Amino acid sequence: MKTYDTPCKLLLTEDEMPKAWYNVKADMANKPAPLANPATMQPVTAEELSHVFCDELVKQELDDTTPYIEIPEEVRRLYCLYRPSPLMRAYRLEEKLQTPARIFFKFEGNNTSGSHKLNSAIAQVYYAKKQGLKGVTTETGAGQWGTAVSMACAFFGLKCQVYMVKCSYEQKPYRREVMRTYGAEVTPSPSMNTEAGRRILAAHPDTIGSLGCAISEAVEAAVTTPDTRYILGSVLSQVLLHQSVIGLETQAALKKYGIKPDVIIGCAGGGSNLGGLLAPFMGEQLRGEAKYRFVAVEPAACPSFTKGEFKYDFCDTGRVCPLAKMYTLGSDFMPSAIHAGGLRYHGMNPTLSQLYHDGILEARTARQLDVFKAATLFARTEGILPAPESSHAIAAAIDEATRCREEGRAENIVFGLSGTGYFDMLAYSKFNDGQMVNDD
Amino acid sequence: MKTYDTPCKLLLTEDEMPKAWYNVKADMANKPAPLANPATMQPVTAEELSHVFCDELVKQELDDTTPYIEIPEEVRRLYCLYRPSPLMRAYRLEEKLQTPARIFFKFEGNNTSGSHKLNSAIAQVYYAKKQGLKGVTTETGAGQWGTAVSMACAFFGLKCQVYMVKCSYEQKPYRREVMRTYGAEVTPSPSMNTEAGRRILAAHPDTIGSLGCAISEAVEAAVTTPDTRYILGSVLSQVLLHQSVIGLETQAALKKYGIKPDVIIGCAGGGSNLGGLLAPFMGEQLRGEAKYRFVAVEPAACPSFTKGEFKYDFCDTGRVCPLAKMYTLGSDFMPSAIHAGGLRYHGMNPTLSQLYHDGILEARTARQLDVFKAATLFARTEGILPAPESSHAIAAAIDEATRCREEGRAENIVFGLSGTGYFDMLAYSKFNDGQMVNDD
C-alpha cells in the first residue's frame, strides 16, 4: 500500500467555505467579446436581457470588472446541504497506475441532481425569488440541469416549468419523476403549449425533439407568463461565476494541506464545470501569482475548442438567443450520438474561448471507448460510478499520471469529477457488452 | 430563518473515525439465543458454519463477549472512500414543521451502492480475501446489496457471483449494469446453474423468482465452487457488528458538538441499518451510562416486531439456512407488494429481537402513503431523494418533531437515512400520480 501523506479527503469546514464567487473576467486583460443582439449585431443591453433573465443575473452577466461578488446568505445555507463537496485523493487509482504523481479530484456528484448544476440553479432561483417572481422556465436534455432547477424551486417555493427533450422524456421516465417529486411541471418538447412548439409539430409531427427546440419553448414560456423568467445552466458568464465555488473550495482545500497543483483538468461541454473549477486558479495566473497547466477535455465527436472556429455564433439552434463570440462548430452542428449528452454542445463559454485563444488553456479530445475504459477503471478503484461527461477528465488525468510515471515526476494532478453516471447505464451496458465503438 | 446553533453537517475528520466495531451482544445481560441447526435444532457449531461462511466471519458471528473488534487497516482505508458519512442537521425540515426539536440524520447514501450496505460488504469480502479465497456468492433483490458486494469484490480483486431475483433482473436492468460495471457476474434466479434453481424451474417454469430461491442458489454455488464462500447483507450478527460504524460515527460526532440525543430512530427490515445505528447508544444504556428512547419503524404491511411472534424460525424461505430465535411473521409470510423492498423480510435480527423483547427498543409501523408523503416533504426541504425504506424513519422523525411542537419540548431527534431512492422512481411515479394507496 502507498504511504498516506495526505488524508483521503481534503476536508474544509463550513466556516472555510467561500463567501464570495470569483469573476475571472475582472482579471483578464483581453475581456471576452460582449453578447450580440441577433437583429442588430450590436452588444445586447441590460434592458434587452431583462425580458428573459432576472435583473440581478443580467447585472452579473455583463459585469467584467468586479472580481468578487458576495454569495447571499440564503444561497450559502443551501450550499451547506451538500457543500463543501469532497476533494478526494485517488490513492487507489495512483497505485493501480503505479505513478509517482498524486491525483486529486473534486467530486460534485454528491447531491440529488447528480452533478455540479445545483450550484448555479440555487443562485439563479434565489435571484428570481428576490425579484418577487413567481416562477422560472428552463429546458433539459439528459435531465441533470432540470433536476437541479426543480430542487432549487422546491427550496424557494417557486413554480418550475421544465421543457424536456421529447426523446429523453420518453426514454428517461425516472429522471422526469425525480423532477416531479420536487414539484416541477415537466412537458415533453416540442409541445402544443407554445407557438414555437406548435410550429415545429405542424412541420414535423413525429420529431423526437432537440435541445434547441426546448430552449425556444422555455424562452417563449418565460416571456409570455407573468412574473416568470428563463434560466440556463451553462455557456453564460453568470453560470461560470456561480460555478466558481467549485474552484474556490478546491483552491482553499489544497492551500490548507500545502499542495500546489501542477495540472488542472476538466471536461468541456458548454464550459460550466470546467470554468468553475479553473476560474480562481486562472485568476492567480492572470495576476502573475502562480503558474499552472490548464487542460480542457472534449469528446472527439464534438470538438468545439480543437476543431471549431473562434467567431460570433448563435448560442441556440433555434437562433432566438443572443450571439456569442466563441469557439463553435456552427449552431446547426449535429454531433454523432455519443453518450456524454452533456458535452454535445456546438459552442463554448466566451470567457473560456478567449482564454483558449490567448493560449492560457490547453484543449484535447478523448474518444468514447477510451472514456468508458477510464470510467470503469475509476469505478473499480475509487468506487464512484462516474458520469460519461466527467469521465473525459478521468481519461486525461490517467494520461497525465502515465506520463508522470514515464518521466518519473511526482506532479500534483487535479481534475473535476462533475457528476455520477446512475442515469447513464444504457451507455455502460453497451460498453459492458463490447458493443461500443470509437465514433470519431 | 432559524438561528444556526450547530453547523449543517456535524463533521468528523478521518482521524476521528472509529478504529474498532462495537459488538452490542457483549454488553447484553440476556444474550440472543444461538442459531440452530435445522436438522438437529442444536446450536450450530463454527465448523458447520465454516462450509458456508469465511472463518473469521464465523468467529464474529458467534462472539457474544468481546465488546470491541478492530477494524482492519485495509477496511478502514476503503471506508475512507465514502466515510465518515455526514451527520446532517435538518434545519429546513425543522422550520417547515415549526418544531422546537432539533432533527439530525446520519446519511449513508453517499456511495455508489446508494446505501449503508457497503459497510458490511467491504468487511466480508476483506475476510474472504484474507482467507485466500477466490470469490464470493450472494443474492440480491432490489440490488443495493448486490451492488455493494460487486464494489467490494472490485476493490479486493475477488470473483463475484450475484443471483438476482429474476423479476428485478428484468425490471431493473440498470442496477444489473452497475454490478457488471464493477465486474460482477449477475445471474437471474432461478437459473439452470444450480440444483436448487433447476428444481424450481422444473416445477414452475414461469416463476419470477424470490429472495428465498436466490439465497438457496447462492448458498449452493458457494459450497460447490472451490475457494468460494457465501455472504449475506442483513439479519446476521456479523452484519450488525460491521454496521456499528454508523452508530459509532454518529455517537462521536454528537459528542464532538456536545449534543445528547433524546430519541434515535431507524427503519427496520432485517435490522442491519437499525442495529448499526443503535448499537453503541444501546451499549451506553445497557452499561447504565445514559438513557435514550430507541424507535424501530417497520412497514404496516410487514410488521415483524409489532405483529410477529418471538420464536425459532428459518431465516430463509428455502429453509436451507440455520434457524434463529427472532420476531417473525413465519418464513412463508408473503407481504403485499409494498415499494420498500428492503423491508419486506419476515424476520428480524436476533439481537434486536431480544432487545425488543426486553423492552429496551420501541417499535411502530408506518403506512406506505404516509411514508411517501414524508419522503416528498424531506426531498423538497433537505434536497436528498430518500429511499422508501429510509423514509419510514423520516415519517417517524416527523411524528416525533410534531409531538415536540405540541408539547413545546426542544428534544434532539436522530434518525438514520440509510439510502437514496434513485432506483425507486417507479414507486415515486405512482405516488406523484395519486395512484398509491395504504395497503395495510
Side-chain angles (χ1 to χ4, degrees):
Chain A
M1 287 190 283
K2 201 159 175 171
T3 308
Y4 276 30
D5 59 356
T6 69
C8 298
K9 291 175 284 296
L10 311 190
L11 284 181
L12 294 178
T13 64
E14 285 170 19
D15 290 342
E16 293 167 326
M17 282 173 66
K19 302 207 168 31
W21 292 301
Y22 171 65
N23 178 12
V24 69
K25 290 189 290 183
D27 282 315
M28 290 168 72
N30 299 332
K31 308 281 184 196
L35 297 173
N37 181 318
T40 64
M41 283 305 289
Q42 294 300 305
V44 287
T45 64
E47 201 279 332
E48 286 165 347
L49 287 175
S50 70
H51 298 294
V52 177
F53 299 113
C54 305
D55 299 346
E56 193 64 31
L57 292 167
V58 170
K59 230 172 94 187
Q60 293 180 358
E61 189 63 32
L62 301 178
D63 187 339
D64 59 9
T65 56
T66 313
Y68 289 96
I69 293 173
E70 198 200 336
I71 307 176
E73 195 192 345
E74 272 186 86
V75 172
R76 281 192 281 124
R77 285 196 173 190
L78 287 165
Y79 279 177
C80 273
L81 294 180
Y82 64 102
R83 309 201 69 84
S85 72
L87 179 66
M88 311 275 301
R89 174 81 181 271
Y91 275 111
R92 295 173 45 84
L93 181 62
E94 291 172 20
E95 280 173 36
K96 189 82 184 176
L97 299 172
Q98 301 203 304
T99 178
R102 300 198 286 184
I103 305 176
F104 301 88
F105 62 93
K106 180 70 168 169
F107 180 40
E108 292 290 318
N110 263 353
N111 69 76
T112 297
S113 83
S115 81
H116 65 295
K117 294 286 182 185
L118 193 54
N119 301 327
S120 187
I122 287 173
Q124 293 193 50
V125 176
Y126 165 79
Y127 289 117
K129 172 81 173 184
K130 204 180 151 207
Q131 193 175 322
L133 300 176
K134 298 283 180 283
V136 299
T137 71
T138 197
E139 78 292 325
T140 201
Q144 286 171 322
W145 171 245
T147 304
V149 176
S150 306
M151 292 171 71
C153 284
F155 295 154
F156 288 110
L158 257 66
K159 195 162 179 277
C160 179
Q161 286 182 58
V162 181
Y163 285 86
M164 187 172 188
V165 177
K166 192 184 268 176
C167 64
S168 294
Y169 183 91
E170 284 163 4
Q171 283 170 16
K172 296 194 172 184
Y174 294 163
R175 265 289 187 198
R176 180 181 82 205
E177 287 306 325
V178 176
M179 292 184 256
R180 289 182 71 209
T181 298
Y182 285 95
E185 184 186 304
V186 187
T187 307
S189 168
S191 75
M192 294 299 282
N193 292 8
T194 66
E195 187 55 42
R198 288 189 291 272
R199 206 165 46 229
I200 293 167
L201 282 173
H204 310 283
D206 297 326
T207 178
I208 58 165
S210 72
L211 211 47
C213 168
I215 292 177
S216 304
E217 288 205 84
V219 170
E220 183 185 325
V223 298
T224 56
T225 310
D227 299 323
T228 300
R229 293 290 184 284
Y230 166 72
I231 70 176
L232 181 65
S234 191
V235 189
L236 297 175
S237 274
Q238 55 184 274
V239 177
L240 234 67
L241 176 72
H242 306 146
Q243 295 296 356
S244 71
V245 70
I246 304 172
L248 289 162
E249 282 184 9
T250 305
Q251 191 183 44
L254 289 170
K255 277 202 180 132
K256 182 173 175 177
Y257 290 90
I259 294 150
K260 189 185 170 298
D262 293 287
V263 51
I264 307 170
I265 302 168
C267 65
S272 68
N273 147 69
L274 177 70
L277 175 64
L278 300 191
F281 298 98
M282 280 281 183
E284 289 182 70
Q285 182 147 328
L286 292 167
R287 295 188 304 268
E289 298 163 10
K291 185 103 185 71
Y292 305 108
R293 277 180 60 217
F294 299 105
V295 179
V297 193
E298 53 189 15
C302 193
S304 320
F305 275 132
T306 51
K307 299 226 172 116
E309 265 186 89
F310 188 44
K311 64 174 186 186
Y312 267 102
D313 193 11
F314 288 92
C315 292
D316 61 321
T317 41
R319 303 191 169 191
V320 298
C321 299
L323 290 90
K325 191 176 176 195
M326 59 183 178
Y327 280 88
T328 174
L329 297 160
S331 65
D332 52 0
F333 175 79
M334 287 295 291
S336 63
I338 59 158
H339 293 293
L343 305 181
R344 295 185 65 199
Y345 183 66
H346 67 277
M348 184 56 60
N349 165 277
T351 301
L352 292 170
S353 292
Q354 187 65 48
L355 290 165
Y356 179 66
H357 188 71
D358 292 345
I360 299 169
L361 171 65
E362 302 171 28
R364 66 177 70 163
T365 59
R367 302 196 307 169
Q368 185 165 250
L369 197 55
D370 301 329
V371 165
F372 276 85
K373 273 183 200 154
T376 302
L377 176 61
F378 184 80
R380 293 184 185 186
T381 49
E382 296 298 324
I384 296 170
L385 183 80
E389 289 84 349
S390 322
S391 302
H392 286 70
I394 297 173
I398 289 173
D399 288 346
E400 291 291 327
T402 306
R403 175 188 57 74
C404 285
R405 181 183 65 213
E406 287 159 4
E407 296 176 357
R409 296 165 68 97
E411 292 185 12
N412 291 317
I413 299 168
V414 176
F415 73 89
L417 188 72
S418 52
T420 53
Y422 294 117
F423 289 91
D424 300 288
M425 294 320 297
L426 192 62
Y428 273 99
S429 168
K430 276 193 196 163
F431 177 76
N432 292 337
D433 289 335
Q435 288 170 6
M436 185 177 282
V437 290
N438 274 328
D439 59 349
D440 53 314
Chain B
M1 285 191 285
K2 200 157 176 172
T3 306
Y4 276 31
D5 60 355
T6 70
C8 298
K9 291 177 284 296
L10 310 190
L11 284 181
L12 294 178
T13 64
E14 285 170 19
D15 290 342
E16 293 167 326
M17 283 173 65
K19 302 203 168 36
W21 292 300
Y22 171 65
N23 178 12
V24 69
K25 289 189 289 184
D27 283 315
M28 290 169 71
N30 298 332
K31 310 280 186 198
L35 296 173
N37 183 319
T40 63
M41 282 304 290
Q42 293 302 304
V44 286
T45 63
E47 202 279 332
E48 286 166 346
L49 286 175
S50 71
H51 299 293
V52 177
F53 299 113
C54 304
D55 298 345
E56 192 64 31
L57 292 167
V58 170
K59 228 171 95 188
Q60 293 181 358
E61 189 63 33
L62 301 178
D63 186 339
D64 58 9
T65 55
T66 314
Y68 289 96
I69 292 173
E70 198 199 339
I71 307 175
E73 194 191 348
E74 271 186 88
V75 172
R76 283 192 281 124
R77 286 196 173 191
L78 288 166
Y79 279 176
C80 273
L81 295 179
Y82 64 103
R83 309 201 69 86
S85 72
L87 179 66
M88 312 275 300
R89 173 81 183 269
Y91 274 113
R92 295 173 45 82
L93 182 61
E94 292 172 21
E95 280 172 39
K96 189 80 181 176
L97 299 172
Q98 301 204 304
T99 178
R102 300 198 290 183
I103 306 175
F104 302 88
F105 61 93
K106 180 71 168 169
F107 180 40
E108 291 290 318
N110 263 354
N111 70 75
T112 295
S113 82
S115 81
H116 65 293
K117 295 286 182 184
L118 193 53
N119 301 328
S120 186
I122 287 173
Q124 294 193 49
V125 176
Y126 165 80
Y127 289 115
K129 172 82 175 184
K130 205 181 150 207
Q131 193 174 324
L133 302 176
K134 297 284 180 285
V136 298
T137 70
T138 196
E139 77 293 327
T140 201
Q144 288 172 320
W145 171 245
T147 304
V149 177
S150 306
M151 292 171 71
C153 285
F155 295 153
F156 288 108
L158 255 66
K159 194 161 179 279
C160 179
Q161 286 181 60
V162 181
Y163 286 86
M164 187 172 187
V165 177
K166 192 184 266 178
C167 63
S168 294
Y169 182 91
E170 285 163 4
Q171 283 168 16
K172 296 193 171 184
Y174 293 163
R175 264 291 185 195
R176 177 182 84 206
E177 286 307 324
V178 175
M179 292 183 254
R180 289 183 69 208
T181 298
Y182 285 94
E185 185 186 303
V186 187
T187 306
S189 167
S191 75
M192 294 298 283
N193 292 6
T194 65
E195 188 55 42
R198 287 188 293 271
R199 205 166 44 229
I200 292 167
L201 281 173
H204 310 282
D206 297 326
T207 178
I208 58 166
S210 71
L211 211 48
C213 168
I215 292 177
S216 304
E217 288 206 82
V219 171
E220 181 184 328
V223 298
T224 56
T225 310
D227 298 324
T228 300
R229 293 292 183 283
Y230 167 71
I231 70 178
L232 181 64
S234 193
V235 189
L236 296 175
S237 273
Q238 56 184 276
V239 177
L240 234 67
L241 176 72
H242 306 145
Q243 295 296 357
S244 71
V245 69
I246 304 172
L248 289 162
E249 283 185 8
T250 304
Q251 189 183 45
L254 289 171
K255 279 206 179 128
K256 182 173 174 178
Y257 290 90
I259 294 151
K260 187 185 173 297
D262 294 287
V263 50
I264 307 171
I265 303 167
C267 66
S272 68
N273 148 70
L274 177 71
L277 174 64
L278 300 192
F281 297 98
M282 280 281 184
E284 288 181 70
Q285 182 148 328
L286 292 166
R287 295 189 304 267
E289 299 163 7
K291 184 103 184 73
Y292 306 108
R293 278 181 58 217
F294 300 106
V295 179
V297 192
E298 55 189 12
C302 193
S304 320
F305 274 131
T306 51
K307 300 224 174 122
E309 267 186 87
F310 189 44
K311 63 174 188 187
Y312 267 102
D313 192 12
F314 288 94
C315 293
D316 61 322
T317 42
R319 303 188 169 194
V320 297
C321 298
L323 290 90
K325 189 174 178 199
M326 59 183 175
Y327 280 87
T328 174
L329 297 159
S331 66
D332 52 0
F333 174 79
M334 288 297 288
S336 62
I338 59 159
H339 292 293
L343 305 182
R344 294 184 66 197
Y345 183 65
H346 68 277
M348 184 57 60
N349 165 276
T351 302
L352 291 171
S353 292
Q354 187 64 50
L355 289 165
Y356 178 67
H357 188 71
D358 292 344
I360 299 168
L361 170 64
E362 302 171 29
R364 66 177 72 165
T365 60
R367 303 197 305 168
Q368 184 166 251
L369 197 56
D370 301 329
V371 165
F372 276 85
K373 273 184 200 155
T376 303
L377 176 62
F378 184 78
R380 293 185 184 184
T381 49
E382 295 298 323
I384 297 168
L385 184 79
E389 289 83 350
S390 322
S391 303
H392 287 70
I394 298 174
I398 290 174
D399 287 346
E400 292 291 326
T402 305
R403 175 188 57 74
C404 286
R405 182 183 66 213
E406 287 160 4
E407 297 177 358
R409 295 165 69 96
E411 292 185 10
N412 291 317
I413 300 168
V414 176
F415 73 89
L417 188 72
S418 53
T420 53
Y422 294 119
F423 289 91
D424 300 287
M425 293 320 296
L426 192 61
Y428 274 99
S429 169
K430 275 193 197 162
F431 177 76
N432 293 336
D433 289 335
Q435 290 170 4
M436 185 177 280
V437 289
N438 273 328
D439 59 348
D440 52 314

